[in-house]
């Protein structure tokens, strides 16, 4: 079929560039949520808890990091190793830009189906969950990121069991001693977690019944590498609902990698599937922006 042929072509193109096409996988949510938070030290930012990376770097080894990305990233002093580690261990600054924009523009999540694409710490998906989204799916290239960073963050931010009133009022991360997460609270039943390369994940989601289409796709700092534009574009086209919206946060240019917002905008224009509009630009430090993407024929 044309779909299979297109996927095969993408796989071959990636292989030619010596990129490993990481297979897609759905991660199950452990029954015992206390295990998810075991050995995790949390920090707080903008009222959200997240796993403290320096502790993960010291403690994440062996079984917890079967991909070996923590040691590879530390030993190569690099936040990006193409096809091996795609940056999800740390929180990139455009995530905060997009969180600000979602609040300023009062983007409505209630009862929406949302995908946090290239989620890393998953803060954008967590914002959607807190905004009463009906379903939130999280995707990262690396399975270690999903297991050691994304899932713990969702659990730490979205379960109320065991949190003292004091923790809640001050937005402190749930204190370790008091944290007890029993059973699977409602919020986790609204979440699914996936790892793998975009074209593979897109295939997995498209084949799942009912087929997943998203009202909102949130994606931050995912257009740094032009080699991935085709897979990213086709994934958005495959997974976005006919009248859905993508909110993409990015630096204007990624020095050293070559990607950037104008290059991706041009790529989209040439494909003639989506329309784009720049809804916010941020000029402090490196120039950054938020782009809204919708199907050309959408309302
Ligand atoms: C630089 S990180 C940004 C993480 C997070 N969105 C943030 O802003 O903090 C880029 C993310 O995009 C995802 N990504 C990049 N290239 C990918 C690819 N070819 N296939 C699947 N995921 C990819 C990785 O999962 C990675 O977490």
């Amino acid at each position: 079929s044309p779909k299979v042929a297109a996927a095969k072509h993408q796989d071959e193109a990636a292989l030619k560039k010596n990129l490993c096409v990481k297979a897609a996988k759905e991660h199950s949510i452990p029954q015992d949520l206390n295990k998810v938070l075991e050995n995790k030290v949390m920090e707080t930012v903008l009222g959200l808890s997240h796993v403290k990376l320096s502790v993960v770097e010291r403690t994440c080894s062996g079984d917890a990091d079967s991909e070996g990305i923590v040691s590879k990233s530390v030993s190569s002093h690099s936040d990006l190793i193409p096809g091996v580690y795609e940056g999800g261990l740390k929180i990139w600054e455009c995530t905060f830009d997009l969180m600000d924009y979602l609040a300023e523009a009062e983007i409505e999540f209630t009862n929406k189906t949302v995908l946090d694409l290239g989620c890393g710490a998953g803060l954008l998906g967590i914002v959607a969950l807190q905004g009463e989204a009906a379903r939130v799916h999280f995707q990262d290239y690396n399975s270690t990121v999903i297991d050691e960073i994304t899932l713990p963050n969702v659990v730490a931010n979205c379960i109320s069991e065991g949190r003292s009133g004091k923790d809640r009022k001050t937005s402190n991360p749930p204190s370790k001693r008091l944290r007890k997460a029993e059973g699977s609270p409602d919020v986790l039943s609204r979440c699914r977690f996936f790892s793998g390369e975009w074209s593979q994940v897109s295939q997995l989601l498209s084949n799942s019944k009912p087929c997943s289409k998203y009202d909102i796709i949130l994606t931050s700092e995912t257009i740094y590498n032009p080699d991935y534009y085709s897979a990213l574009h086709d994934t958005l086209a495959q997974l976005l609902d006919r009248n859905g919206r993508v909110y993409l946060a990015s630096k204007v240019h990624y020095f050293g990698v070559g990607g950037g917002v104008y290059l991706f905008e041009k790529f989209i224009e040439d494909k003639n599937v989506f329309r784009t509009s720049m809804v916010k630009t941020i000029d402090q430090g490196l120039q950054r922006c938020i782009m809204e993407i919708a199907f050309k024929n959408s309302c």
Side-chain angles (χ1 to χ4, degrees):
S1 77
K3 251 195 216 164
V4 174
K8 194 162 167 251
H9 174 76
Q10 269 177 18
D11 292 357
E12 281 165 3
L15 281 172
K16 262 191 216 141
K17 287 190 176 286
N18 288 329
L19 296 177
C20 120
V21 178
K22 199 177 268 291
K25 166 180 157 187
E26 177 159 8
H27 294 239
S28 54
I29 301 170
Q31 281 288 317
D32 181 359
L33 296 180
N34 292 308
K35 281 245 172 342
V36 176
L37 295 175
E38 219 166 57
N39 303 322
K40 296 288 181 287
V41 175
M42 312 301 289
E43 289 180 305
T44 311
V45 59
L46 296 177
L48 294 178
S49 306
H50 66 97
V51 173
K52 189 169 180 170
L53 182 56
S54 56
V55 177
V56 173
E57 284 176 357
R58 282 200 302 274
T59 58
C60 190
S61 59
D63 284 353
D65 180 18
S66 55
E67 293 175 301
I69 58 167
V70 177
S71 56
K72 282 174 194 158
S73 165
V74 171
S75 66
S76 63
H77 304 285
S78 179
D79 289 321
L80 293 171
I81 309 173
V84 177
Y85 164 55
E86 296 290 351
L89 291 170
K90 73 167 205 179
I91 302 174
W92 295 63
E93 64 182 327
C94 292
T95 277
F96 301 116
D97 295 338
L98 189 46
M99 281 167 65
D100 287 345
Y101 174 75
L102 296 172
E104 287 156 16
E106 298 181 10
I107 301 298
E108 188 56 64
F109 290 111
T110 311
N111 295 329
K112 299 273 168 68
T113 302
V114 179
L115 173 65
D116 184 345
L117 189 71
C119 61
L123 299 190
L124 298 170
I126 290 168
V127 167
L129 275 174
Q130 293 178 341
E132 302 298 330
R135 284 198 298 277
V136 180
H137 294 175
F138 296 84
Q139 175 277 336
D140 198 277
Y141 186 84
N142 293 106
S143 57
T144 301
V145 170
I146 292 288
D147 289 334
E148 297 303 314
I149 307 279
T150 322
L151 239 164
N153 281 347
V154 173
V155 171
N157 283 286
C158 298
I159 54 167
S160 52
E161 282 90 332
R163 288 190 68 171
S164 69
K166 185 168 149 272
D167 273 347
R168 253 183 245 127
K169 266 193 221 124
T170 57
S171 307
N172 284 338
S175 63
K176 244 186 149 186
R177 194 170 49 82
L178 289 171
R179 202 183 304 135
K180 266 238 167 285
E182 278 146 16
S184 180
D186 161 64
V187 73
L188 283 177
S189 65
R190 292 190 272 137
C191 301
R192 288 172 74 184
F193 299 85
F194 301 90
S195 63
E197 191 272 334
W198 284 319
S199 55
Q200 305 288 307
V201 172
S202 169
Q203 249 174 284
L204 179 75
L205 286 169
S206 305
N207 293 339
S208 73
K209 298 265 178 313
C211 173
S212 298
K213 292 275 181 191
Y214 299 94
D215 301 310
I216 299 179
I217 299 181
L218 304 171
T219 190
S220 156
E221 307 245 14
T222 44
I223 58 167
Y224 49 87
N225 190 337
D227 289 344
Y228 304 157
Y229 283 7
S230 179
L232 177 59
H233 178 279
D234 294 353
T235 297
L236 297 178
Q238 183 74 43
L239 298 181
L240 188 67
D241 184 77
R242 204 163 49 90
N243 292 314
R245 292 288 182 275
V246 178
Y247 295 99
L248 177 149
S250 170
K251 299 196 173 78
V252 165
H253 186 71
Y254 287 88
F255 295 97
V257 206
V261 81
Y262 297 118
L263 199 64
F264 190 58
E265 195 179 32
K266 174 79 175 58
F267 188 93
I268 290 184
E269 206 178 295
D270 292 345
K271 290 274 183 176
N272 205 28
V273 174
F274 293 115
R275 57 185 152 88
T276 63
S277 62
M278 222 59 96
V279 290
K280 184 173 177 183
T281 54
I282 301 112
D283 282 321
Q284 303 114 311
L286 278 184
Q287 214 191 354
R288 312 183 300 277
C289 54
I290 312 288
M291 187 195 268
E292 185 183 291
I293 304 171
F295 280 112
K296 283 213 146 161
N297 53 1
S298 63
C299 355

